[in-house]
Each structure stands twice: as structure tokens, then as C-alpha cells.
Amino acid sequence: MKKIIFFLNILTALGFAQQTPAPKQTKSILIMGGTAHLGNGKIQENALISIQNGKIMYVADGTLAKPAKHDLVIEANGKHIYPGFIAPNSTLGLVEIDAVRASDDESEVGSFNPHIRSIIAYNTESKVTETARPNGVLLAQITPRGGRIAGTSSIVQLDAWNWEDAVIKENDGIHMRWPNSYARLGWWAEPGGIEPNKKYAEQVKEIQDFFDNAYAYLQSNKEVKDIPYEAMNGLQDGTKTLFVTANGEKEIQDILLFKKKNNIQKVVLVGGYYAYKVADLLKEANVSVLLRRIHDLPMSEDEDVNLPYKNASLLMQKNVLVGLENSGDMERMQVRNIPFYAGSCAAWGMSKEDALKLITSNTAKILGIDDSYGTLETGKSATLFISAGDALDMKTNLITHAFIDGRQISLESHQTELYKRYKEKYESQEVKSDEKK
């Protein structure tokens, strides 16, 4: 009986669906009077933003332009307007409850799985997604985990009925975890130092052998179809990106050699903690970086405790294209904090508008969706939001309106429902207390 009750509770928890997706835009919308942060480093004060058929028709200076009539006018005086924030390298929608195996679709068995497509496991009904949208995170790259090559990611917008409706760019890249050149001893509570990884060369050779076999297959007659090797198609012609997770200086240098040897057109370094040490080489090889979660401790005990915050600035100074990612412990729940990672970067060596690029235009360029997303520009998707304050500051980020492809989406979540519920409770108690007085 207890087991039945337990599973009923789980089903009930999973049964609370996400907010109903907004319908397609049918009415023209004009946002006027706010400060528009365009996502490309520029600001437009007293902005006029026209939205029609899911697109931005124009972004103009309200002191100079006279707007045409629109069906809906939103007064944004004193508020701020931003492009939708983007969460790359995310498992959002792939795991709902860590302790419930049936809701965990982030990884598959095996070491080399380029053919695993994360998009077909993406759950648009995830309650965790609801917590990201009220902080301005409106797009995500859904990425598998596990093994040496985890699989293929896809990019989605976060307000949809199913994955087919959500997908923006399907099968955009393959994700690989590069081996470490050293091994840590002990466990996390009692680290015992580090030693060289004696199997490093062997592990790198395994990767090279897989790529050699895949390329040989793609150039062959293909009498017998090999699905994993088929998935590798697109790396040499640039239609797919290879995302490689690594943090060490030696590992990053080896990745650059690997890129050149295998003629891989587009490589993105994920993690990249020590990427600033080889920034010139990254720039020369045209390799972008998705920096690991910056709200973390340094990787070495003798480093500057603020190095994680400075990393993005150090790379930008070398003209390396850099964005922010959020993999790690409780990563799905932490997606909502991505704007505040950018805010911390702004406090350590870069302007607020440059920090904004880390989660808008830079990430859009890295993911190859910058033709439609990442900035507030004429002709691009009307995926944006309005905040009462600075969206990179957790004290003032208060979103009042959000749009994905021109559709005004719900900002309600389980948390806002609880907030309203208990707010009413304590307000009623205060009234009763006043009446007694």
C-alpha cells in the first residue's frame, strides 16, 4: 500500500503541467518608453519596438520617430527591455526528478554515442522550465550527458506543446568530453592531491580512432549502415559543431591540434577554465568558449579566489568569442541564475552591456542562431522581455512581460502560485490583527 501511495505522489508531482503555451501572435504590439539593451553592446533610450507576426519590425528612438497605430501598446517607461537569454549546454527538460529513474533521460550507456538525439527526449512540460522563464531565460540548447561522446544537441524555445514545436535548430552539434591529463586523488571532502593520468594518451587515441573510422565510413560505399558513424557527418563541412568539454591548458592545446588534424570546421570549447592562458591560440583557431559556471570556487587552492568571475573578461580582452554555460550540480534548477552569472562578470572587468552579450548575442553566434536571436534588431525574432529593473541583478530583476516569437508567454510557476497563496494568508492575518487592536 505504501508503494502505491508513493507512486501516486510521484505521478501527482509530475502531473502538474507547465503553463499552457501562448498562441501565435495575431495582434501588432508596440513597446514604448523603455531602455532597450540591444544585446550587441548598444543601448536605445526611450525605445520604440514594434512587433508584428512574431518579428521585430523596428527599434527606434521614441524622441524622433512617430509610431504607427498598433493593436496593443505597452508602456515601459522606467523599465528595461532585453533580448531573451540563452542557456547553452543544458539538460533542461531531460530530467524532472533525479530520484525517479523513469524521468531521467540525460544519458545513455556506452562511450561513443554521437547518434543519440537529445531532442526526442526533451520534455516541454517540465516544471523546472517554469522557473527559468521568469528570469528571462527563453531559449536553451538541450544537451545529452555521459560517455566520451554523449550525443547530439538541439536548440529550443521554452514555450511549446511538444519538442517539434519547441525546436529552433535541430541536431546543431555533437558533444564530446575530452580526457583529463591528470587524475585527482581522494574524494571531494578529503582531496589527496593530483597525479598524471597514465591513460591519457590511450584515451586520446581512442577518440582519434573513432574519428578515423567514422570518416573512413563516410567516404566508403556504406553497404552496411552504421548509425553512430552516420551521425558524425557534418563536422568537416561545418554544418555541425563539435562541442568539447575541457578545462586544463594542456587539454585545450591538444584539442586545437585535434581540430586541425581532423579538419573540423567548427569547434566550441565548453568549460574552458584555463582558456585565458591560451587565448591567442583560441583566437587564431577561431574556437569559441562556453565558460563553466562562474559562481564556483577556483579549481586550484593557490589561485585568485575571484578568477572564475574574471575569466570572461580575460577572454574578451583577447577577442575570443565567449558565452556562459551552467553544467554541474543541480544544473537544471540553476538555469534561472544565468543572468546573475553575467552580472557577476560585469563586476569583474567588463561593462554591463558586454556582460549581457555573454548570454545573448555571443551565445547566439556560438550556437549559430544569431540570424534570428540574440539581439533586438529589425527582422529578428521578437523573443524578448521587459524587466522593472536591471535583469542582471537579482535584487532588481522583476520581469513584467516576456515574448517568444511575438507570443506573450506566461510568467507563472509553482513558486509564484505559492507566493500568492501565502501572501494572501499573511495579509489576512495582518487584517485580523489590526481589527483586534
Side-chain angles (χ1 to χ4, degrees):
M1 184 65 182
K2 289 182 179 179
K3 289 184 177 179
I4 294 174
I5 293 173
F6 172 77
F7 282 110
L8 284 175
N9 288 335
I10 294 297
L11 290 172
T12 302
L14 292 172
F16 285 109
Q18 191 183 25
Q19 297 297 321
T20 301
K24 185 177 180 180
Q25 182 188 7
T26 57
K27 296 182 178 181
S28 60
I29 301 170
L30 180 68
I31 303 173
M32 59 186 303
T35 299
H37 303 263
L38 305 184
N40 57 8
K42 299 179 181 178
I43 295 176
Q44 177 60 65
E45 301 284 356
N46 193 25
L48 289 176
I49 300 178
S50 173
I51 303 173
Q52 297 181 40
N53 299 318
K55 301 287 186 181
I56 297 174
M57 300 306 294
Y58 60 79
V59 179
D61 184 343
T63 60
L64 302 176
K66 184 177 180 180
K69 186 177 180 180
H70 287 67
D71 298 320
L72 175 64
V73 176
I74 299 174
E75 295 284 352
N77 292 319
K79 297 181 180 180
H80 300 263
I81 309 159
Y82 296 87
F85 297 154
I86 307 170
N89 191 37
S90 173
T91 54
L92 194 66
L94 295 183
V95 183
E96 192 66 9
I97 302 174
D98 290 291
V100 180
R101 188 173 181 180
S103 75
D104 187 339
D105 286 315
E106 73 173 1
S107 63
E108 293 289 342
V109 296
S111 296
F112 293 89
N113 296 314
H115 58 297
I116 298 300
R117 298 172 59 241
S118 61
I119 188 63
I120 61 173
Y122 174 61
N123 175 23
T124 57
E125 298 285 343
S126 172
K127 287 176 66 64
V128 184
T129 302
E130 288 183 353
T131 67
R133 296 185 315 196
N135 277 2
V137 182
L138 306 182
L139 305 171
Q141 181 193 38
I142 309 305
T143 306
R145 299 280 187 261
R148 184 64 66 200
I149 296 182
T152 300
S153 61
S154 293
I155 303 164
V156 301
Q157 50 86 2
L158 301 183
D159 183 67
W161 288 103
N162 50 53
W163 73 260
E164 290 94 338
D165 292 340
V167 69
I168 290 172
K169 188 176 182 181
E170 190 171 352
N171 303 332
D172 71 297
I174 293 173
H175 292 255
M176 180 169 70
R177 181 175 55 86
W178 195 262
N180 289 324
S181 61
Y182 62 89
R184 291 190 179 276
L185 306 176
W187 62 302
W188 68 267
E190 296 179 0
I194 61 174
E195 68 176 13
N197 177 8
K198 297 176 182 178
K199 294 185 177 181
Y200 179 72
E202 177 185 336
Q203 291 167 346
V204 172
K205 185 177 184 301
E206 285 180 353
I207 296 173
Q208 185 60 63
D209 288 346
F210 184 83
F211 273 72
D212 288 343
N213 292 335
Y215 289 160
Y217 165 81
L218 292 172
Q219 295 169 7
S220 69
N221 297 329
K222 305 180 186 178
E223 294 179 359
V224 178
K225 188 172 184 178
D226 188 295
I227 296 176
Y229 290 160
E230 288 279 353
M232 298 290 284
N233 193 22
L235 290 179
Q236 288 187 314
D237 64 13
T239 54
K240 281 184 182 176
T241 301
L242 182 64
F243 295 85
V244 188
T245 299
N247 288 295
E249 182 179 357
K250 173 175 173 52
E251 288 86 340
I252 296 170
Q253 290 175 327
D254 288 345
I255 290 167
L256 296 180
L257 293 174
F258 181 84
K259 174 184 184 295
K260 184 175 181 180
K261 179 179 180 180
N262 292 277
N263 192 31
I264 303 171
Q265 296 301 303
K266 296 180 181 178
V267 170
V268 173
L269 179 65
V270 179
Y273 185 79
Y274 291 113
Y276 71 93
K277 293 185 176 183
V278 289
D280 291 332
L281 295 177
L282 290 169
K283 177 62 179 176
E284 182 182 349
N286 195 29
V287 172
S288 307
V289 180
L290 289 173
L291 271 178
R292 56 177 278 165
R293 186 187 302 174
I294 69 163
H295 285 182
D296 203 354
L297 294 173
M299 290 187 68
S300 176
E301 61 185 16
D302 59 352
E303 289 175 344
D304 179 0
V305 71
N306 297 312
L307 179 57
Y309 310 137
K310 299 175 181 177
N311 246 333
S313 175
L314 294 173
L315 289 169
M316 266 198 171
Q317 290 170 19
K318 293 288 187 175
N319 296 315
V320 175
L321 185 62
V322 57
L324 301 181
E325 60 102 13
N326 180 57
S327 59
D329 293 339
M330 297 187 69
E331 62 180 88
R332 290 164 295 283
M333 297 72 171
Q334 297 281 6
V335 166
R336 66 183 185 273
N337 290 326
I338 282 180
F340 311 136
Y341 300 162
S344 295
C345 290
W348 292 92
M350 63 174 59
S351 68
K352 272 287 178 70
E353 300 310 311
D354 279 342
L356 179 63
K357 291 180 183 178
L358 299 174
I359 54 176
T360 55
S361 60
N362 282 11
T363 302
K365 290 175 184 176
I366 291 170
L367 301 184
I369 58 172
D370 54 306
D371 58 336
S372 297
Y373 299 92
T375 56
L376 302 178
E377 295 182 72
T378 300
K380 288 195 175 184
S381 167
T383 299
L384 53 92
F385 64 89
I386 303 172
S387 175
D390 182 353
L392 304 189
D393 185 343
M394 64 177 65
K395 290 183 178 180
T396 59
N397 182 341
L398 180 60
I399 295 179
T400 59
H401 302 76
F403 303 86
I404 293 179
D405 296 328
R407 300 176 296 112
Q408 185 169 353
I409 67 171
S410 170
L411 296 172
E412 292 296 312
S413 68
H414 184 57
Q415 283 74 16
T416 59
E417 290 174 2
L418 290 175
Y419 167 77
K420 292 175 182 177
R421 175 184 174 188
Y422 285 100
K423 182 181 179 183
E424 290 176 0
K425 173 186 176 183
Y426 289 109
E427 284 179 346
S428 64
Q429 289 180 348
E430 289 178 359
V431 170
K432 290 179 180 179
S433 177
D434 292 339
E435 288 175 349
K436 288 181 180 180
K437 293 179 181 178

